[in-house]
């Protein structure tokens, strides 16, 4: 397998994995009332966001962009895929907002927001994979 595509696949496995994990991690950080638990949990959540999810997202998007520029791919499936990826980026940013929110006000619950983001992410990742693997639009 060409190295660039391998890099793309490895990066997006890390990105998608982190994105599916983050909403649960964020929601779990607001349930307990112990102060130490909050501080450490908020720190862990921020580390997963800044050290795993964000670099993996940049690598997945960068390698994907390099792939389509190198192979001059401008097919319809790619346009639809980029639209789905834009939705994933939006969910990524919303996770960042929730990470900040649980750091500032840990007593506030964000369970409903996390469920919505989690469900949207599962749908967007499934659509993205279907678009790129089945290439239903030529
Ligand atoms: C801006 C972001 C992205 C761009 C520009 C991009 C672009 C590309 C391109 C041009 C290819 C090569 C397709 C081919 O050779 O037929 C590719 C492969 C692939 N992409 Fe992405 N991609 C991005 C993000 C993602 C994401 C977020 C996912 C998954 C959720 C994903 C999943 C895949 C898979 C599974 C392949 C391998 C397809 C195959 O070999 O048949 N990509 N991507």
């Amino acid at each position: 397998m060409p190295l660039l595509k391998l890099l793309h696949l490895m990066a997006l496995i890390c990105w998608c994995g982190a994105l599916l994990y983050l909403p649960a991690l964020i929601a779990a950080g607001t349930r307990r009332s112990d102060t130490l638990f909050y501080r450490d949990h908020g720190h862990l959540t921020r580390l997963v966001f800044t050290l795993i999810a964000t670099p993996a997202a940049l690598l997945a998007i960068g390698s994907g962009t390099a792939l389509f520029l190198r192979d001059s791919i401008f097919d319809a499936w790619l346009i639809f895929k980029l639209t789905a990826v834009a939705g994933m980026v939006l969910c990524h940013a919303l996770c960042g907002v929730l990470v900040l929110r649980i750091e500032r006000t840990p007593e506030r619950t964000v369970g409903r927001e996390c469920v919505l983001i989690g469900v949207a992410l599962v749908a967007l990742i499934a659509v993205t994979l279907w678009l790129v693997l089945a290439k239903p639009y030529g």
Side-chain angles (χ1 to χ4, degrees), residues 2 6 22 36-37 42 46 76 82 103 114 124 129 131-133:
L6 187 64
L22 263 173
L36 186 66
F37 177 82
R46 183 185 267 264
L82 291 183
E103 272 181 3
C114 289
L124 286 166
L129 288 176
L131 285 168
V132 74
L133 293 175

Side-chain angles (χ1 to χ4, degrees), residues 1 5 8-9 12-13 15-16 19 57 60-73 75 77-78 81-82 84-86 88-89 124-130 132-135:
M1 185 187 288
K5 199 179 266 192
H8 187 57
L9 291 180
L12 67 89
I13 286 171
W15 186 31
C16 295
L19 279 182
I61 292 171
S63 55
T65 306
L67 269 173
F68 92 79
L69 289 178
R70 188 197 64 182
D71 300 344
S72 304
I73 304 171
D75 299 332
W77 66 265
L78 185 62
K81 176 180 168 176
L82 291 183
V85 172
M88 289 172 63
V89 171
L124 286 166
I125 291 173
V127 167
T128 309
L129 288 176
W130 175 65
V132 74
L133 293 175
K135 295 197 177 65

Side-chain angles (χ1 to χ4, degrees), residues 4 9-10 15-16 24 32 51 62 74:
L4 194 55
L9 291 180
M10 280 166 41
W15 186 31
C16 295
R32 310 281 194 282
L51 293 185
F74 297 101

